[in-house]
């Protein structure tokens, strides 16, 4: 993974987990599994992006 892609993934993670939307969702008192699902989606997105990068010539 190149440095630019790593920085973009870090910024996406910061946007997803530090945005005001997260505070609003936490205020709504979602199910206990909500944070785990959010992390799982983030990890799956990273895996898909890195796997796609390996197949390109």
């Amino acid at each position: 993974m190149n440095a630019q892609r790593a920085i973009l993934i870090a910024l996406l993670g910061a946007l997803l987990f530090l945005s005001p939307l997260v505070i609003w969702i936490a205020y709504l008192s979602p199910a206990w599994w909500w944070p785990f699902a959010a992390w799982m989606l983030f990890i799956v997105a990273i895996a898909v992006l890195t796997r796609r990068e390996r197949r390109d010539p």
Side-chain angles (χ1 to χ4, degrees), residues 5-57:
R5 191 170 295 250
I7 291 171
L8 286 174
I9 288 173
L11 289 175
L12 177 66
L15 177 68
L16 289 175
F17 296 109
L18 299 176
S19 70
L21 180 65
V22 173
I23 296 170
W24 178 70
I25 290 173
Y27 180 74
L28 294 176
S29 300
W32 63 268
W33 50 265
W34 177 255
F36 299 105
W39 275 107
M40 182 186 69
L41 289 174
F42 184 61
I43 291 168
V44 167
I46 292 171
V48 167
L49 288 173
T50 56
R51 191 170 274 208
R52 185 183 332 160
E53 183 178 295
R54 287 187 207 155
R55 291 183 182 167
D56 290 341

